[in-house]
Amino acid sequence: ITGEGDKAFSTGRDLKDSKNHTKEDARNYMQRCLDSALAIKRFSLPTVAAINGFAFGWGMEVALACDLRVAKRDSVLCFPECGLGIFPGAAGTVMLPRLVGPGVAKDLILTSRKFSGEEALELGVVNRSIDGSSQDTVDAAVDIAFTIASNGPLGVKGARIVIDEGLDVAFDQHVEISNKYRFPLNDTEDFNEALKAFGEKRKPEFKGI
């Protein structure tokens, strides 16, 4: 997921338009923002955000909803909401602390300060920081996506579920969730194919069964 062109990933809401919102408009707008971010978060396949230029507000929440994030080194990121008397409402205040911890999340959200793609990598907000062109950032995100796609789809799907479902549970329960999805993979055709391919020194051809 990336923005059109190289000026911005997404700058979030149009403040000029927002000042004319009725109470109902504001509620509907926020609900649409939340629904769209959660749709990405709950998407059945892995998602990668390629962040170029500016990523503000809802744009940051879209990026957080993705499984992985790649940012151009000099891109500018920000959660500006507290500076407007509100706070990130499309699950940003839920997703960010789960990703980087409450201390970093409070720093970025409560101060509304701008930070670079380089700092975002240092803070753990993004997975890669690219020192190159905007296209290089997109290419890096695509490379990650192709690398994931080359792996067994059942393993990738199961790993995503276990990681996400285990965020709010105790360790032993998390292990149970892992076992629920991991043990059945021992009996799949894909796993047998991977073992066969290893012995034949070739890449496995996964079918998702």
Side-chain angles (χ1 to χ4, degrees):
I1 297 177
T2 193
E4 183 177 0
D6 58 5
K7 291 185 178 180
F9 177 76
S10 172
T11 55
R13 71 166 63 223
D14 184 337
L15 296 180
K16 292 181 180 179
D17 183 57
S18 293
K19 72 179 182 180
N20 297 318
H21 280 179
T22 64
K23 185 176 182 179
E24 182 179 3
D25 289 337
R27 180 176 292 275
N28 290 338
Y29 175 85
M30 181 175 168
Q31 188 64 54
R32 288 196 300 271
C33 288
L34 176 60
D35 290 345
S36 58
L38 293 181
I40 296 169
K41 182 71 174 175
R42 295 167 178 164
F43 192 60
S44 61
L45 298 174
T47 52
V48 185
I51 302 171
N52 288 315
F54 297 99
F56 283 14
W58 175 80
M60 284 300 303
E61 292 171 303
V62 168
L64 290 175
C66 293
D67 292 289
L68 299 169
R69 287 152 295 282
V70 179
K72 193 168 181 282
R73 184 177 181 180
D74 61 358
S75 57
V76 181
L77 294 70
C78 182
F79 296 92
E81 288 87 350
C82 281
L84 299 170
I86 54 177
F87 64 82
T93 49
V94 178
M95 294 185 287
L96 186 62
R98 291 167 182 247
L99 181 66
V100 299
V104 173
K106 289 177 181 178
D107 172 21
L108 300 178
I109 291 175
L110 302 186
T111 66
S112 296
R113 70 179 180 86
K114 298 179 180 68
F115 56 104
S116 68
E118 182 178 18
E119 184 181 2
L121 177 63
E122 296 171 354
L123 295 174
V125 178
V126 302
N127 303 92
R128 308 276 197 283
S129 178
I130 304 302
D131 187 10
S133 68
S134 296
Q135 187 59 50
D136 290 334
T137 307
V138 174
D139 290 344
V142 171
D143 285 344
I144 292 173
F146 272 109
T147 299
I148 295 172
S150 69
N151 289 329
L154 297 179
V156 170
K157 180 179 180 180
R160 289 180 74 229
I161 292 173
V162 171
I163 291 170
D164 288 341
E165 289 191 0
L167 292 175
D168 296 319
V169 302
F171 178 82
D172 288 345
Q173 187 177 352
H174 200 174
V175 172
E176 291 178 5
I177 294 172
S178 176
N179 290 342
K180 174 184 175 181
Y181 290 96
R182 176 60 184 85
F183 274 98
L185 297 183
N186 291 334
D187 303 319
T188 63
E189 290 186 22
D190 275 358
F191 185 45
N192 289 330
E193 161 63 11
L195 295 177
K196 182 179 179 182
F198 178 79
E200 296 173 356
K201 297 182 179 180
R202 61 173 175 82
K203 292 183 178 181
E205 297 179 4
F206 295 116
K207 298 180 180 179
I209 56 177

